[in-house]
Amino acid sequence: MNVRFADRRPEGPHALAIPLTAGKVEAARLAGLSGDAAAFVARAAAAAKFEGEAGAVAELFASEGRILLVGLGDGESDKAYEKAGGAIVAKVQTSEKTLVIDFSGHKTSGARAGALAFGAVMRNWRYDVYRTKLKASQKPSLDEIVIVGAGEGAEAAWASAKALADGVSFAKELVTEPANIIYPESFVERCRKLADLGVEITVLDDTEMAELGMGALLGVAQGSRKPARLLVMRWKGADKEPVAFVGKGVTFDTGGISIKPAAGMEDMKWDMGGAGAVAGAMLALAGRKAKAHVIGICGLVENMPDGNAQRPGDVVTSMSGQTIEVINTDAEGRLVLCDAITWVQKTHNVKTIVDLATLTGAMIISLGNEYGGLFSNDEGLADKLLKASDASGDKLWRFPLGDAYDKLIDSPIADMKNVGPRGAGSITAAQFIKRFVEDGVKWAHLDIAGMVWSAKAGPTWDKGATGFGVRVLDRFVADNLEG
């Protein structure tokens, strides 16, 4: 969808949206409308009890045509502008071709106009590739947004926001695609377009990983006909020490021999949401030419239960040399992450790692679909990620780590087992990953199991993939690695 900025409203048919801060809507606040139309709109807003709450929309028809009033709350929050942009688009996505958002007479910064455009574009994202029988009234028609009267710097703000929107959209696309379309090899192919933006792409196949001793990752993949891949994306936008983002990319998770219940298993196409977030973040960083050095790693496997699949009780040797007793083959994501984390430490000598994974159902029990879980061995890194979370809207909540939890994954026949007892499942999973983080390396684990897919529409997404994780990584880089 095209977004452009203008000094006046364009000619031709369009829907008109007028953003308003909270308070009684008076005719004088409706800049750009004729006197009679402004008075009519003010009366209609009062009848609809519209008072400008963030994201609230009042829709009416006047002599100027279709008009939507959208609330900005107190007008002091970027998130309110994003919410307003998404709310407008949700109303007109399938009924209008052009949407004009008019800030005339309202003081707003270019950055906040860019935030509104970002929210609008994000909410407009849909993936109708496989839908062949949509009625005309169900098909998206909106293809242009014209923002009038935006503050200074709006176009520059939108250029950066657009790069982020592209990254979030890419993550949504990867997560939305079914597992017969996105599997380890095709995930890699989708990501090759990042090379056009200057991202260095390296791919390790299963033979190369076997030579490196990645028995944990390859053990997950051995029941599938789809070979595993390790995708490495390097963005060197500055001559600095690299930071690594590592994503769990289980492109479909049956649970393996420890097979999941049939009900809801189709959702396991999004068990690669961590890898999708890493790929989306790398696209966003390259798209806005971030002045940072970031390495994105995606451990890509499919977890299937054929005759060659690993069994509960098998012992595998990880790339680090540590041995793992596989108690539950459905606790596979940590097996993928441990080898990917070992590889990036040994290959690139990174000193900061953030991993993202739809790792545990226990996280959804703990936090529902409101927050992702944060675990870290470093207070400073945890604090930076929490601040990036608050600023970006990808909300995180910190959980504890400790020796008492770590002991729960000791194995009687190997260095560790891949699951602990029923309690503290998300914590023991994080403790497992922590065992593969070298001394002196700052590490954080984001368990985003409840966040990459939504059963209901949100401010910047429709039902389905949310793109969670891209924004918090992008903001973390902007706040801490650039400048």
Side-chain angles (χ1 to χ4, degrees):
M1 184 172 62
N2 181 47
V3 175
R4 64 184 179 91
F5 297 85
D7 295 328
R8 60 176 61 88
R9 295 179 201 162
E11 299 294 331
H14 60 261
L16 173 64
I18 302 176
L20 297 168
T21 52
K24 182 180 178 182
V25 178
E26 299 174 347
R29 299 176 65 196
L30 302 173
L33 295 180
S34 67
D36 289 345
F40 168 75
V41 170
R43 291 195 303 271
K49 297 183 180 180
F50 175 84
E51 295 184 349
E53 301 92 340
V57 176
E59 182 179 13
L60 49 111
F61 292 84
S63 55
E64 273 83 352
R66 187 182 187 183
I67 298 175
L68 299 100
L69 307 182
V70 60
L72 299 172
D74 62 9
E76 298 300 320
S77 165
D78 287 355
K79 292 294 169 290
Y81 280 76
E82 284 184 15
K83 190 173 183 179
I88 301 166
V89 166
K91 289 284 188 181
V92 304
Q93 183 183 45
T94 59
S95 56
E96 301 286 347
K97 184 176 181 180
T98 300
L99 170 65
V100 176
I101 303 172
D102 194 347
F103 280 103
S104 298
H106 301 276
K107 292 182 179 180
T108 190
S109 68
R112 286 187 173 146
L116 186 141
F118 176 85
V121 170
M122 285 291 86
R123 186 60 179 81
N124 193 55
W125 188 90
R126 283 176 46 160
Y127 206 66
D128 292 328
V129 173
Y130 306 111
R131 305 181 73 181
T132 64
K133 296 183 179 181
L134 283 174
K135 298 177 182 178
S137 60
Q138 296 173 316
K139 294 179 180 179
S141 58
L142 186 64
D143 61 15
E144 182 180 46
I145 294 178
V146 182
I147 299 178
V148 177
E152 184 178 350
E155 292 193 23
W158 168 239
S160 180
K162 182 182 183 302
L164 179 57
D166 289 343
V168 175
S169 297
F170 186 45
K172 288 182 179 181
E173 173 190 325
L174 291 168
V175 170
T176 301
E177 285 280 22
N180 62 318
I181 302 298
I182 288 294
Y183 44 89
E185 294 164 296
S186 61
F187 187 107
V188 168
E189 293 308 309
R190 287 283 176 103
C191 291
R192 288 198 182 278
K193 68 180 183 179
L194 275 69
D196 296 336
L197 297 173
V199 176
E200 178 186 318
I201 304 289
T202 305
V203 183
L204 275 65
D205 64 23
D206 46 356
T207 300
E208 292 169 304
M209 287 187 280
E211 291 172 353
L212 290 168
M214 293 188 182
L217 184 153
L218 292 174
V220 177
Q222 72 188 43
S224 174
R225 296 183 182 182
K226 304 291 188 185
R229 293 290 183 265
L230 190 76
L231 169 64
V232 184
M233 299 166 284
R234 185 180 183 188
W235 168 253
K236 194 171 183 180
D239 189 16
K240 299 178 180 179
E241 183 178 280
V243 168
F245 297 149
V246 181
K248 170 190 171 184
V250 180
T251 58
F252 194 78
D253 181 22
T254 66
I257 298 299
S258 306
I259 197 163
K260 294 177 180 291
M265 194 192 290
E266 69 277 3
D267 288 343
M268 288 299 98
K269 69 177 186 177
W270 51 251
D271 206 21
M272 36 59 67
V278 169
M282 298 303 294
L283 179 64
L285 295 173
R288 65 177 181 81
K289 305 299 180 187
K291 294 178 174 59
H293 186 184
V294 181
I295 302 170
I297 303 96
C298 298
L300 301 168
V301 300
E302 188 178 61
N303 189 21
M304 300 293 283
D306 88 340
N308 193 48
Q310 68 180 1
R311 297 153 292 259
D314 284 1
V315 174
V316 296
T317 302
S318 67
M319 184 181 175
S320 72
Q322 298 179 87
T323 57
I324 304 159
E325 181 185 11
V326 180
I327 301 298
N328 187 331
T329 65
D330 193 25
E332 84 299 330
R334 64 204 72 180
L335 300 174
V336 173
L337 288 172
C338 72
D339 276 345
I341 286 172
T342 298
W343 182 88
V344 76
Q345 290 173 117
K346 291 185 180 299
T347 306
H348 291 282
N349 194 32
V350 295
K351 298 303 180 185
T352 302
I353 298 172
V354 180
D355 78 70
L356 299 89
T358 52
L359 204 67
T360 64
M363 184 53 59
I364 302 176
I365 300 302
S366 298
L367 295 176
N369 305 105
E370 301 300 325
Y371 288 84
L374 165 64
F375 304 80
S376 183
N377 66 355
D378 184 83
E379 296 297 320
L381 177 59
D383 185 58
K384 290 173 181 177
L385 284 165
L386 287 172
K387 288 179 179 177
S389 158
D390 289 341
S392 69
D394 279 356
K395 298 185 293 183
L396 298 173
W397 191 273
R398 192 174 181 188
F399 279 70
L401 295 167
D403 290 342
Y405 295 113
D406 192 61
K407 292 175 182 177
L408 298 176
I409 56 170
D410 286 340
S411 166
I413 67 165
D415 294 326
M416 70 195 83
K417 53 188 178 182
N418 73 327
V419 293
R422 182 175 177 83
S426 298
I427 301 174
T428 54
Q431 291 287 168
F432 178 95
I433 299 168
K434 184 175 181 289
R435 291 194 179 197
F436 297 86
V437 178
E438 296 175 357
D439 291 343
V441 174
K442 298 176 182 179
W443 159 80
H445 162 60
L446 309 185
D447 190 335
I448 58 176
M451 303 307 293
V452 302
W453 193 266
S454 179
K456 59 182 180 180
T460 56
W461 64 84
D462 203 344
K463 295 177 182 179
T466 65
F468 188 93
V470 176
R471 298 182 68 182
V472 68
L473 294 181
D474 180 81
R475 189 60 183 250
F476 170 77
V477 170
D479 289 349
N480 301 287
L481 305 184
E482 297 186 85

